[in-house]
Amino acid sequence: MGTDILERLTDEMQQVVKLAKDAARSLHHEYLGPEHLLMGLVRIGEGEGGSFNMLGLLNLSYGEVDEALNWYVNPGPRYVQPCILHLTTRARKVFAHAVQRADRFGHDRVESEDLLYALAMPQTESPAYHLLQRLGVTPETIE
């Protein structure tokens, strides 16, 4: 991930990225995709994070989303050596959409709501997008 994006992430979003990387490694994946970013959002906890306030408003629980994610995302076939996880093209699109949303609202930093919004956009065509669609989460429900 480019340093320009990292500089724009809130502290919560930096934690989301760390948890997304942990999720990717625990699944034996050598990449960081939108599905891992959604897992990071989910795993940040039901506490005070904006993404979870949003999921609560959408009548979705942490357990519901986490269970569905674990069903959607298959583990890799082998142990992955500690390495730098590269963003997939879809994950890059997600971050680009999240930055655009933050800019549209005049925010200097990208927040968890921006990431959730970007993950729900059809242009990403990722497992995260399909799962959010199945759960009824669309960009319109997030706005």
Side-chain angles (χ1 to χ4, degrees), residues 17-59:
V17 171
K18 179 190 176 307
L19 291 169
K21 288 178 181 179
D22 292 347
R25 287 186 179 105
S26 73
L27 289 165
H28 311 295
H29 293 165
E30 296 177 337
Y31 61 90
L32 188 64
E35 59 275 22
H36 305 115
L37 295 171
L38 182 56
M39 290 175 132
L41 276 176
V42 168
R43 294 206 167 108
I44 198 90
E46 286 186 284
E48 299 173 22
S51 61
F52 278 94
N53 294 338
M54 184 65 63
L55 289 175
L57 289 173
L58 298 169
N59 294 318

Side-chain angles (χ1 to χ4, degrees), residues 35 38-39 42 64-73 128 131:
E35 59 275 22
L38 182 56
M39 290 175 132
V42 168
E64 216 177 355
V65 177
D66 193 52
E67 183 179 322
L69 276 171
N70 286 320
W71 182 83
Y72 249 85
V73 181
L131 170 62

Side-chain angles (χ1 to χ4, degrees), residues 40-107:
L41 276 176
V42 168
R43 294 206 167 108
I44 198 90
E46 286 186 284
E48 299 173 22
S51 61
F52 278 94
N53 294 338
M54 184 65 63
L55 289 175
L57 289 173
L58 298 169
N59 294 318
L60 296 172
S61 71
Y62 168 85
E64 216 177 355
V65 177
D66 193 52
E67 183 179 322
L69 276 171
N70 286 320
W71 182 83
Y72 249 85
V73 181
N74 296 317
R78 58 183 162 68
Y79 175 77
V80 175
Q81 294 291 328
C83 65
I84 295 173
L85 299 171
H86 296 282
L87 284 176
T88 64
T89 301
R90 288 179 178 155
R92 289 182 195 280
K93 280 185 189 179
V94 166
F95 274 113
H97 288 298
V99 167
Q100 288 172 357
R101 183 176 189 269
D103 289 345
R104 191 172 80 228
F105 284 100
H107 299 153

Side-chain angles (χ1 to χ4, degrees), residues 34-35 72 90 94 119 121-131:
E35 59 275 22
Y72 249 85
R90 288 179 178 155
V94 166
L119 287 166
M121 294 187 72
Q123 294 88 331
T124 64
E125 298 179 19
S126 69
Y129 161 75
H130 293 292
L131 170 62

